[in-house]
Amino acid sequence: MTFKTRNNNYYFFDSGTGKVVLCDYDEIELIDKILSNKISVEDACLQNKDFQKFVEYENIFAFPDDIKFVLPTLDALKESIEGHCRQIILELTEKCNLRCGYCIYNENHPGFRNFGNRTMSFDVAKKTIDIVLKNFKDDKFYLTFYGGEPLLAFDLMKESIDYVRNNYPSIKLGISLTTNLTLLSDSMLEYFNSLSNDKINVNIMYSIDGDRDNHDRFRRYSNGERTHEVVVDNFKKLVLNFYEKNNSYKHLSINCVVSPPCDNEKIERIRSFFEEELRLHQNIKYDLGYVDPGDMVFDYSSNEKIKLYENLSGVNICDHVFEHVAYDDGDEIKKTDLNIILNDIMAISHRVKNNPNDITVRFLHGNCIPGRQRMYVTVNGDFKVCERVGNSPSIGNYIDGLDYEKILNLYYKEYAATYENICGSCWAQQMCNICYAKNFKKEGIISDIESLCTDTRNEIKNKFINYYSLFESNKEMLENTVKEIVL
């Protein structure tokens, strides 16, 4: 793959070795002809001896053909999962006191359920916990709460936490939840403080979409009333009565959705709100993300539906931050900037680098092992790969446990058969971050794979452009940052 930085320098990424090589314009032209099958590597080397020496010295264009996906046996899969699931995500309730215009659970997102009124029973939570923890082989375990709005089922949350503490006391427990922060009470804060005082990690992620105008444009109560004021007040209460910057058992983070259209002015306004108005401590991370895919969203400010495909164009959030960092004169990337672009930096700095002759197997993209690292449990007790997979096929339930044969057949064998030929000639295969959340719908694997692959390649290429543009503009800063990541 070839790319050009914002400083107009050309590079070639070789997927076999993982090398990135600086090239002049003539070299890039020749490489592009090879990549587009206008000339073979052999013919290019015959015509240009300097190019032949370059290819031989760097050992490039040597990625082996016909590499197969590595698939486990049923016994190996079962052994890798049993006793190792370190996180259960409980969908405590489908109920929510908000009706956010871009929520994945509204009618415009067919890949997910609609708003509902069901709440999980304690029996579902208890039996799921027992399935996962009865033969637990690790020492750390996270119980995570999701919704709807999980604080609407706070009593069930407490009951589930206390059940783990009382019945599995040797396990080092951590808890986390995602909340809209409108229902936070003093008694809830008192309980969360009691957990951290008992050396239980408490991670609270809450949603604030920046300044009042941006937040209230989409995040409203079910009756249409605005929520920004109460959310900010409760955030201040949380910081004052719970957060301690040097307490490793108390963690806060913010999820912020940048609504369409996305532009530089909006991103800077949101960042200014968090860093200057709220004065966030640098250890309180805020994530800037986009509206999830769907047909349209509802804009409360204009009282109308917006078609997303007409409004999603604009500035890429990571592009914006990378450009901002490139002109910073510091020795390291600021924590608030790094929180946003860390994953993109690591994707390039920690990419796989090999001798092409050592490549004998291909792995299933960015997919996890279903049921091993985490597991999502719906209100009725169905097990899903994670909270992001929507209506994809379940992998078990709270009565029968995990269905290992189904996991192997659907999430491994059928998946590999679908992608086997597609991935063989793709330069991005060793860096591909496609996962089950992007691949599955209720009926199984999606049909529009070509579009997904194109988007993924463009995303990875853009990471290279951002990384090497920063490398050229502020090499010392980038190298210091990467060293810190490694340490």
Side-chain angles (χ1 to χ4, degrees):
M1 179 270 296
T2 60
F3 63 94
K4 183 172 72 171
T5 64
R6 282 187 283 274
N7 300 315
N8 293 319
N9 292 313
Y10 294 95
Y11 292 85
F12 167 61
F13 166 67
D14 179 65
S15 57
T17 60
K19 292 178 179 178
V20 174
V21 184
L22 179 65
C23 301
D24 62 31
Y25 183 76
D26 291 335
E27 290 167 336
I28 283 293
E29 269 202 326
L30 184 55
I31 291 172
D32 280 337
K33 287 180 180 179
I34 294 171
L35 297 179
S36 59
N37 295 317
K38 293 178 179 178
I39 187 174
S40 67
V41 176
E42 293 76 15
D43 287 343
C45 290
L46 288 173
Q47 295 176 19
N48 188 324
K49 294 302 179 183
D50 289 336
F51 185 73
Q52 180 180 8
K53 293 177 182 177
F54 166 66
V55 170
E56 292 173 351
Y57 178 78
E58 296 290 353
N59 196 24
I60 57 177
F61 294 109
F63 196 94
D65 295 327
D66 199 30
I67 301 297
K68 301 294 184 182
F69 284 116
V70 58
L71 301 177
T73 63
L74 182 60
D75 288 341
L77 177 66
K78 187 174 181 180
E79 184 179 352
S80 71
I81 295 174
E82 273 192 341
H84 294 291
C85 182
R86 299 182 64 183
Q87 182 184 22
I88 298 174
I89 305 168
L90 297 178
E91 183 186 44
L92 293 185
T93 181
E94 294 176 342
K95 298 176 182 178
C96 187
N97 59 328
L98 269 59
R99 287 295 182 270
C100 299
Y102 52 67
C103 182
I104 58 174
Y105 298 127
N106 69 40
E107 62 186 6
N108 301 308
H109 291 262
F112 292 81
R113 64 166 173 80
N114 291 332
F115 290 115
N117 292 305
R118 296 183 297 177
T119 294
M120 180 179 286
S121 68
F122 176 64
D123 188 52
V124 169
K126 173 184 176 298
K127 288 181 178 177
T128 299
I129 291 168
D130 288 338
I131 286 171
V132 171
L133 294 185
K134 63 182 177 182
N135 295 310
F136 194 62
K137 296 180 176 67
D138 296 327
D139 60 338
K140 296 179 181 180
F141 173 74
Y142 257 92
L143 199 55
T144 298
F145 303 101
Y146 205 73
E149 170 49 50
L151 293 184
L152 284 169
F154 182 67
D155 289 342
L156 176 58
M157 182 188 298
K158 288 177 59 179
E159 194 172 10
S160 302
I161 294 169
D162 293 342
Y163 180 77
V164 175
R165 297 181 69 188
N166 294 332
N167 291 275
Y168 301 94
S170 63
I171 291 174
K172 189 174 182 180
L173 176 65
I175 71 110
S176 61
L177 64 143
T178 301
T179 173
N180 60 41
L181 210 60
T182 61
L183 299 172
L184 186 70
S185 67
D186 292 341
S187 61
M188 292 174 184
L189 283 172
E190 184 178 348
Y191 180 70
F192 294 141
N193 276 313
S194 72
L195 294 177
S196 60
N197 290 340
D198 288 340
K199 296 185 177 181
I200 293 175
N201 270 304
V202 179
N203 291 265
I204 302 175
M205 173 179 279
Y206 42 95
S207 299
I208 306 178
D209 286 355
D211 59 281
R212 182 189 302 273
D213 288 344
N214 194 63
H215 179 98
D216 284 339
R217 183 182 173 199
F218 292 104
R219 300 191 63 81
R220 300 285 184 105
Y221 285 112
S222 56
N223 63 4
E225 292 295 317
R226 298 171 182 269
T227 63
H228 189 263
E229 184 175 354
V230 68
V231 168
V232 170
D233 286 346
N234 281 337
F235 162 76
K236 293 175 179 178
K237 180 194 295 186
L238 192 60
V239 171
L240 181 64
N241 298 309
F242 173 78
Y243 182 68
E244 299 171 29
K245 65 180 181 180
N246 295 318
N247 189 330
S248 61
Y249 296 100
K250 297 182 175 184
H251 306 274
L252 300 179
S253 60
I254 296 174
N255 180 54
C256 172
V257 174
V258 182
S259 54
C262 180
D263 54 44
N264 285 313
E265 188 276 332
K266 179 179 287 185
I267 295 173
E268 280 306 306
R269 192 172 76 239
I270 290 172
R271 298 184 70 198
S272 175
F273 171 80
F274 288 133
E275 296 170 24
E276 297 174 20
E277 188 169 338
L278 283 190
R279 297 182 180 275
L280 284 184
H281 186 272
Q282 64 175 1
N283 288 334
I284 300 179
K285 179 182 177 182
Y286 65 88
D287 287 319
L288 302 182
Y290 302 103
V291 175
D292 281 292
D295 294 329
M296 57 185 65
V297 298
F298 188 83
D299 185 342
Y300 285 98
S301 297
S302 58
N303 198 34
E304 64 177 348
K305 289 185 177 180
I306 302 173
K307 292 182 179 180
L308 278 186
Y309 64 83
E310 295 177 355
N311 289 275
L312 280 178
S313 61
V315 177
N316 178 287
I317 294 170
C318 286
D319 289 356
H320 172 86
V321 176
F322 267 107
E323 289 186 41
H324 171 79
V325 168
Y327 297 105
D328 196 326
D329 57 2
D331 294 329
E332 294 183 6
I333 299 175
K334 292 189 298 186
K335 188 81 175 279
T336 51
D337 290 327
L338 186 60
N339 284 338
I340 296 172
I341 61 176
L342 175 61
N343 289 337
D344 282 20
I345 289 177
M346 290 185 65
I348 306 303
S349 66
H350 291 57
R351 67 187 182 276
V352 176
K353 298 170 186 175
N354 341 262
N355 182 327
N357 296 324
D358 295 334
I359 302 173
T360 58
V361 296
R362 183 189 302 149
F363 296 96
L364 294 180
H365 305 145
N367 291 307
C368 62
I369 299 174
R372 189 183 196 281
Q373 188 67 23
R374 59 164 64 175
M375 185 172 70
Y376 184 63
V377 187
T378 66
V379 289
N380 63 346
D382 285 333
F383 295 172
K384 303 277 189 174
V385 175
C386 76
E387 74 280 9
R388 297 170 54 233
V389 297
N391 289 327
S392 67
S394 67
I395 57 174
N397 60 66
Y398 80 105
I399 295 174
D400 303 316
L402 286 164
D403 188 337
Y404 294 103
E405 287 193 10
K406 185 176 183 180
I407 294 172
L408 179 61
N409 289 329
L410 180 59
Y411 286 93
Y412 279 89
K413 292 181 178 179
E414 288 187 29
Y415 185 95
T418 300
Y419 275 98
E420 196 75 62
N421 294 327
I422 297 172
C423 297
S425 59
C426 179
W427 63 263
Q429 59 181 284
Q430 298 241 83
M431 298 184 67
C432 184
N433 61 358
I434 289 177
C435 74
Y436 295 128
K438 298 178 180 179
N439 262 293
F440 280 85
K441 57 183 180 179
K442 188 175 182 179
E443 297 78 17
I445 300 175
I446 63 172
S447 57
D448 190 14
I449 291 174
E450 183 178 347
S451 175
L452 176 61
C453 291
T454 298
D455 289 345
T456 302
R457 283 191 289 268
N458 289 337
E459 179 185 325
I460 295 170
K461 182 175 182 177
N462 201 52
K463 290 177 183 178
F464 275 102
I465 293 171
N466 280 330
Y467 185 94
Y468 280 91
S469 293
L470 179 57
F471 178 82
E472 293 168 354
S473 300
N474 203 327
K475 179 180 178 181
E476 183 178 359
M477 173 191 283
L478 181 59
E479 289 181 339
N480 289 339
T481 301
V482 171
K483 287 178 184 177
E484 286 295 317
I485 294 171
V486 173
L487 293 176

